[in-house]
Amino acid sequence: MSTSNTVSDRAQEIVDEFSLFSDWMNRYQYLIEMGDDIPLLPEDMKSEEYYVHGCQSDVWIRVEYDEDEQVLHFQGDSNAKITKGLAALIIRVVDEQPPEAVAEASFDFLDDIGLHEHLSSQRNNGLEAMIDQMKKRAQAFRN
Amino acid sequence: MPATTQPTSDTTSFDVEAFRAQFPALQQEVYEDTPLVYLDNAATSQKPDAVIERAERYYRRENSNVHRGVHRLSQDATEAYESARKSVARFINAPAPEQVIYTKGTTEGLNLVANTFGQQRVGAGDEILLTEMEHHSNIVPWQMLAEQVGAEIRVLPVTDRGVLQMDRLAEYLTEDTALVAVTHVSNTLGTINPVKDLIDAAHAVDVPVVVDGAQSAPHLPVDVQALDADFFVFSGHKMFGPTGIGILYGKREHLEAMPPYQGGGDMIDRVSFDETTYDAPPHKFEAGTPHIEGAIGLGAAAEFIMDLDWSAVQAHEDDVLAYATEQVRAIDGIRLIGTAPEKTSVLSFVFEDIHPYDAGTFLDRLGIAVRTGHHCTQPLLKRYGLPGTIRASFAAYNTRADANRLAEGLHRTREMLG
């Protein structure tokens, strides 16, 4: 997946990728395709423990701490394609990062991918809930 | 029916283009490049100039507290506020304006009845009869009441097409039934319920009926006396009026016997620390400074509707709904939810393989405003085994052209997400 290492490097990488598309339909298409690359949470783990509340669709995000590498691993899924793409996008930024980097990660780059004007108006897309849950879990693994 | 990009619903005397031109919010583009198609009217309707200008005039010229001052402005404000009540009384054919109580909306109206009349009439072991298609607003207040007094909630089921199972009413309307609360029109399915039949059946066994008219007031002529409803509640904002204002109509004998809902100014006769006596209805139920410009705006909305040739408007609305239904039904992979013979204004559907949220998000970017999700009717969606639907809901200003935009948008949605 990502070759660069910091949260902001990866965020910039995503912004650059989205900037290649001139119209919103292609940006959506790309977002949906990103969902296909999500580190998929296995069906039998789709439990209340990993469920993200506050979305119109079903979303699960699992965070696991790798003690050897001292980084977090993420898995996720959603039954809505746009939501799944969003989950994949934020996971790509925070996956294999140390807990403190995830807890303090900025997601302001979402303003710059040419979808935010639209996505931010959607209270139900669960973006905020997903980010919130990821950060809380990361916080718990800190220190 | 062949698809066409021109509105062709000029089979009635209702001039929809002239009507539509009175709604400024409909004349805009969204995302800077896309003309808006507003199909979320079951959530809230847009407002005509007549209502916007009336509310503005209140703030520019009449702003003052009602029922208090002897001064000119207060008299003007009070006159406008009470005159609006008379307009609403005419709108629903209430016997007297005193039976028209201003509320915040349908939800508050239902809570008011549950907390006053409900407390008087429903006791331990009694049953409250609801239907499977109720909005959460017409479920939760009754559940709270039932929990407080030890009553039980019974639920009249719906058929697969979304019709109340009236043939099973005898199973549900029992000697223990103390109250019935039913929606006139389903906000999720568009079904028009036979509330008159339900009311007659309930009255035959002396059971009062509360009607949720949130979705009917904007689309059907409402006559509370012909219905013989004990209570009829609705919201201003779904019928071209302001938000934050609604109406509770009640039979006079009920309103007089009910205790107040909230205490405060404007609802009292005399106050002392030993004893307080209450004003008569409607003021008994209107504690505190009310939503004055909301009430005045609602009065303007009621007058606005009453000025229309309503049978022509209904013919137009029926035409657009039927046309939209055919256009949407023809799209591969779409299944309609709610195909009752008696329907108004709501078209709910699902794609077999596209989540409603994805479809709604994509449609939004195409300028088409629909609602997706459970529409505050989770028990109904559960009955159909669905997480949600896509709901297009129409108002008198919508046209066949809007229906065409919706159908085109759904075709593109299927290509993109299917």
Short mmCIF file of all heavy atoms in Angstrom, two decimals, chain B residues 302-332:
data_model
loop_
_atom_site.label_atom_id
_atom_site.label_comp_id
_atom_site.label_asym_id
_atom_site.label_seq_id
_atom_site.Cartn_x
_atom_site.Cartn_y
_atom_site.Cartn_z
N ALA B 302 -52.12 28.73 5.48
CA ALA B 302 -53.47 28.17 5.38
C ALA B 302 -54.31 28.96 4.37
O ALA B 302 -55.00 28.37 3.53
CB ALA B 302 -54.15 28.17 6.76
N GLU B 303 -54.20 30.28 4.42
CA GLU B 303 -54.94 31.11 3.45
C GLU B 303 -54.43 30.86 2.03
O GLU B 303 -55.22 30.80 1.08
CB GLU B 303 -54.78 32.61 3.80
CG GLU B 303 -55.48 33.03 5.09
CD GLU B 303 -57.01 32.99 4.98
OE1 GLU B 303 -57.53 33.00 3.85
OE2 GLU B 303 -57.66 32.93 6.04
N PHE B 304 -53.11 30.72 1.91
CA PHE B 304 -52.49 30.45 0.61
C PHE B 304 -53.06 29.17 0.00
O PHE B 304 -53.42 29.12 -1.19
CB PHE B 304 -50.97 30.33 0.82
CG PHE B 304 -50.17 29.94 -0.38
CD1 PHE B 304 -49.87 30.86 -1.37
CD2 PHE B 304 -49.68 28.64 -0.51
CE1 PHE B 304 -49.11 30.50 -2.47
CE2 PHE B 304 -48.92 28.28 -1.60
CZ PHE B 304 -48.64 29.21 -2.59
N ILE B 305 -53.19 28.14 0.82
CA ILE B 305 -53.72 26.86 0.32
C ILE B 305 -55.21 27.00 0.01
O ILE B 305 -55.70 26.51 -1.01
CB ILE B 305 -53.47 25.73 1.35
CG1 ILE B 305 -51.97 25.45 1.46
CG2 ILE B 305 -54.22 24.47 0.95
CD1 ILE B 305 -51.60 24.44 2.53
N MET B 306 -55.93 27.69 0.89
CA MET B 306 -57.38 27.80 0.69
C MET B 306 -57.73 28.63 -0.55
O MET B 306 -58.83 28.50 -1.09
CB MET B 306 -58.05 28.37 1.94
CG MET B 306 -58.09 27.36 3.09
SD MET B 306 -59.08 27.90 4.52
CE MET B 306 -58.05 29.16 5.24
N ASP B 307 -56.79 29.46 -0.99
CA ASP B 307 -57.01 30.24 -2.21
C ASP B 307 -56.87 29.42 -3.49
O ASP B 307 -57.20 29.88 -4.58
CB ASP B 307 -56.01 31.41 -2.30
CG ASP B 307 -56.43 32.58 -1.40
OD1 ASP B 307 -57.60 32.58 -0.96
OD2 ASP B 307 -55.60 33.46 -1.16
N LEU B 308 -56.31 28.21 -3.35
CA LEU B 308 -56.10 27.37 -4.53
C LEU B 308 -57.36 26.60 -4.86
O LEU B 308 -58.21 26.36 -4.00
CB LEU B 308 -54.96 26.36 -4.27
CG LEU B 308 -53.59 26.94 -3.96
CD1 LEU B 308 -52.68 25.84 -3.44
CD2 LEU B 308 -52.99 27.58 -5.20
N ASP B 309 -57.45 26.19 -6.13
CA ASP B 309 -58.51 25.27 -6.54
C ASP B 309 -58.01 23.87 -6.13
O ASP B 309 -57.25 23.23 -6.85
CB ASP B 309 -58.70 25.37 -8.05
CG ASP B 309 -59.69 24.32 -8.56
OD1 ASP B 309 -60.13 23.46 -7.78
OD2 ASP B 309 -60.00 24.38 -9.76
N TRP B 310 -58.44 23.45 -4.96
CA TRP B 310 -57.80 22.29 -4.36
C TRP B 310 -58.03 21.00 -5.14
O TRP B 310 -57.15 20.13 -5.19
CB TRP B 310 -58.23 22.15 -2.89
CG TRP B 310 -57.25 21.30 -2.14
CD1 TRP B 310 -57.49 20.10 -1.56
CD2 TRP B 310 -55.85 21.57 -1.94
NE1 TRP B 310 -56.33 19.61 -1.01
CE2 TRP B 310 -55.31 20.49 -1.23
CE3 TRP B 310 -55.01 22.63 -2.31
CZ2 TRP B 310 -53.97 20.43 -0.87
CZ3 TRP B 310 -53.67 22.56 -1.95
CH2 TRP B 310 -53.17 21.47 -1.24
N SER B 311 -59.19 20.87 -5.78
CA SER B 311 -59.40 19.63 -6.55
C SER B 311 -58.46 19.60 -7.75
O SER B 311 -57.96 18.54 -8.13
CB SER B 311 -60.87 19.50 -6.97
OG SER B 311 -61.23 20.59 -7.79
N ALA B 312 -58.18 20.77 -8.32
CA ALA B 312 -57.23 20.82 -9.44
C ALA B 312 -55.81 20.52 -8.95
O ALA B 312 -55.04 19.82 -9.62
CB ALA B 312 -57.28 22.19 -10.11
N VAL B 313 -55.47 21.03 -7.78
CA VAL B 313 -54.15 20.75 -7.21
C VAL B 313 -54.00 19.25 -6.94
O VAL B 313 -52.97 18.65 -7.28
CB VAL B 313 -53.94 21.54 -5.90
CG1 VAL B 313 -52.66 21.10 -5.21
CG2 VAL B 313 -53.91 23.04 -6.17
N GLN B 314 -55.04 18.67 -6.38
CA GLN B 314 -54.97 17.23 -6.09
C GLN B 314 -54.85 16.40 -7.35
O GLN B 314 -54.10 15.42 -7.39
CB GLN B 314 -56.21 16.81 -5.31
CG GLN B 314 -56.05 17.02 -3.83
CD GLN B 314 -57.11 16.26 -3.08
OE1 GLN B 314 -58.29 16.56 -3.20
NE2 GLN B 314 -56.69 15.27 -2.32
N ALA B 315 -55.56 16.81 -8.39
CA ALA B 315 -55.48 16.10 -9.67
C ALA B 315 -54.05 16.19 -10.19
O ALA B 315 -53.49 15.20 -10.69
CB ALA B 315 -56.46 16.69 -10.67
N HIS B 316 -53.44 17.37 -10.06
CA HIS B 316 -52.05 17.54 -10.49
C HIS B 316 -51.12 16.66 -9.66
O HIS B 316 -50.25 15.97 -10.20
CB HIS B 316 -51.65 19.01 -10.36
CG HIS B 316 -50.17 19.23 -10.47
ND1 HIS B 316 -49.49 19.17 -11.66
CD2 HIS B 316 -49.24 19.47 -9.50
CE1 HIS B 316 -48.21 19.37 -11.44
NE2 HIS B 316 -48.02 19.56 -10.13
N GLU B 317 -51.28 16.69 -8.35
CA GLU B 317 -50.40 15.89 -7.48
C GLU B 317 -50.55 14.40 -7.79
O GLU B 317 -49.55 13.66 -7.84
CB GLU B 317 -50.72 16.14 -6.00
CG GLU B 317 -50.22 17.49 -5.51
CD GLU B 317 -50.15 17.54 -3.98
OE1 GLU B 317 -49.78 16.55 -3.35
OE2 GLU B 317 -50.48 18.60 -3.42
N ASP B 318 -51.78 13.96 -8.00
CA ASP B 318 -52.02 12.54 -8.32
C ASP B 318 -51.35 12.18 -9.64
O ASP B 318 -50.77 11.10 -9.78
CB ASP B 318 -53.52 12.25 -8.38
CG ASP B 318 -54.17 12.29 -7.01
OD1 ASP B 318 -53.44 12.28 -6.00
OD2 ASP B 318 -55.42 12.34 -6.95
N ASP B 319 -51.44 13.10 -10.59
CA ASP B 319 -50.84 12.86 -11.91
C ASP B 319 -49.32 12.71 -11.79
O ASP B 319 -48.73 11.79 -12.35
CB ASP B 319 -51.19 14.02 -12.85
CG ASP B 319 -50.43 13.91 -14.17
OD1 ASP B 319 -50.80 13.05 -14.98
OD2 ASP B 319 -49.46 14.66 -14.36
N VAL B 320 -48.70 13.62 -11.06
CA VAL B 320 -47.23 13.58 -10.94
C VAL B 320 -46.79 12.33 -10.18
O VAL B 320 -45.83 11.66 -10.57
CB VAL B 320 -46.70 14.87 -10.26
CG1 VAL B 320 -45.21 14.74 -9.95
CG2 VAL B 320 -46.95 16.08 -11.14
N LEU B 321 -47.53 11.97 -9.13
CA LEU B 321 -47.15 10.77 -8.38
C LEU B 321 -47.30 9.52 -9.25
O LEU B 321 -46.41 8.66 -9.26
CB LEU B 321 -48.00 10.64 -7.11
CG LEU B 321 -47.67 9.40 -6.25
CD1 LEU B 321 -46.25 9.48 -5.69
CD2 LEU B 321 -48.68 9.24 -5.11
N ALA B 322 -48.40 9.43 -9.97
CA ALA B 322 -48.62 8.26 -10.83
C ALA B 322 -47.54 8.20 -11.91
O ALA B 322 -46.99 7.12 -12.19
CB ALA B 322 -50.00 8.34 -11.46
N TYR B 323 -47.23 9.35 -12.49
CA TYR B 323 -46.21 9.40 -13.54
C TYR B 323 -44.84 9.00 -12.98
O TYR B 323 -44.13 8.16 -13.56
CB TYR B 323 -46.16 10.81 -14.14
CG TYR B 323 -45.13 10.97 -15.22
CD1 TYR B 323 -45.37 10.51 -16.51
CD2 TYR B 323 -43.91 11.59 -14.95
CE1 TYR B 323 -44.42 10.66 -17.51
CE2 TYR B 323 -42.95 11.73 -15.94
CZ TYR B 323 -43.20 11.27 -17.21
OH TYR B 323 -42.26 11.41 -18.19
N ALA B 324 -44.47 9.58 -11.84
CA ALA B 324 -43.18 9.26 -11.22
C ALA B 324 -43.11 7.78 -10.86
O ALA B 324 -42.07 7.13 -11.04
CB ALA B 324 -42.96 10.13 -9.98
N THR B 325 -44.22 7.25 -10.37
CA THR B 325 -44.26 5.84 -9.99
C THR B 325 -43.95 4.96 -11.21
O THR B 325 -43.16 4.02 -11.12
CB THR B 325 -45.64 5.48 -9.40
OG1 THR B 325 -45.89 6.34 -8.28
CG2 THR B 325 -45.69 4.03 -8.94
N GLU B 326 -44.57 5.28 -12.33
CA GLU B 326 -44.33 4.48 -13.54
C GLU B 326 -42.88 4.61 -14.01
O GLU B 326 -42.25 3.62 -14.41
CB GLU B 326 -45.29 4.90 -14.66
CG GLU B 326 -46.72 4.46 -14.42
CD GLU B 326 -46.80 3.01 -13.92
OE1 GLU B 326 -46.25 2.11 -14.58
OE2 GLU B 326 -47.38 2.78 -12.83
N GLN B 327 -42.35 5.83 -13.98
CA GLN B 327 -40.96 6.04 -14.41
C GLN B 327 -39.98 5.26 -13.54
O GLN B 327 -39.03 4.66 -14.03
CB GLN B 327 -40.60 7.54 -14.34
CG GLN B 327 -41.39 8.43 -15.28
CD GLN B 327 -41.18 8.05 -16.73
OE1 GLN B 327 -40.06 7.97 -17.20
NE2 GLN B 327 -42.26 7.78 -17.43
N VAL B 328 -40.21 5.30 -12.24
CA VAL B 328 -39.27 4.68 -11.31
C VAL B 328 -39.42 3.16 -11.31
O VAL B 328 -38.44 2.41 -11.30
CB VAL B 328 -39.45 5.27 -9.89
CG1 VAL B 328 -38.65 4.48 -8.86
CG2 VAL B 328 -39.03 6.74 -9.87
N ARG B 329 -40.67 2.72 -11.41
CA ARG B 329 -40.94 1.29 -11.41
C ARG B 329 -40.24 0.59 -12.59
O ARG B 329 -39.83 -0.56 -12.49
CB ARG B 329 -42.46 1.06 -11.50
CG ARG B 329 -42.91 -0.38 -11.25
CD ARG B 329 -44.27 -0.64 -11.86
NE ARG B 329 -45.35 0.13 -11.26
CZ ARG B 329 -46.03 -0.27 -10.20
NH1 ARG B 329 -45.75 -1.40 -9.61
NH2 ARG B 329 -47.01 0.47 -9.72
N ALA B 330 -40.09 1.32 -13.69
CA ALA B 330 -39.54 0.73 -14.91
C ALA B 330 -38.02 0.54 -14.85
O ALA B 330 -37.44 -0.09 -15.73
CB ALA B 330 -39.90 1.61 -16.11
N ILE B 331 -37.38 1.10 -13.84
CA ILE B 331 -35.91 1.02 -13.77
C ILE B 331 -35.48 -0.34 -13.22
O ILE B 331 -36.01 -0.79 -12.20
CB ILE B 331 -35.36 2.19 -12.90
CG1 ILE B 331 -35.70 3.52 -13.55
CG2 ILE B 331 -33.86 2.03 -12.68
CD1 ILE B 331 -35.50 4.72 -12.65
N ASP B 332 -34.54 -0.96 -13.91
CA ASP B 332 -34.05 -2.28 -13.50
C ASP B 332 -33.52 -2.25 -12.08
O ASP B 332 -32.78 -1.35 -11.71
CB ASP B 332 -32.89 -2.73 -14.41
CG ASP B 332 -33.40 -3.31 -15.71
OD1 ASP B 332 -34.62 -3.53 -15.80
OD2 ASP B 332 -32.57 -3.54 -16.61
#
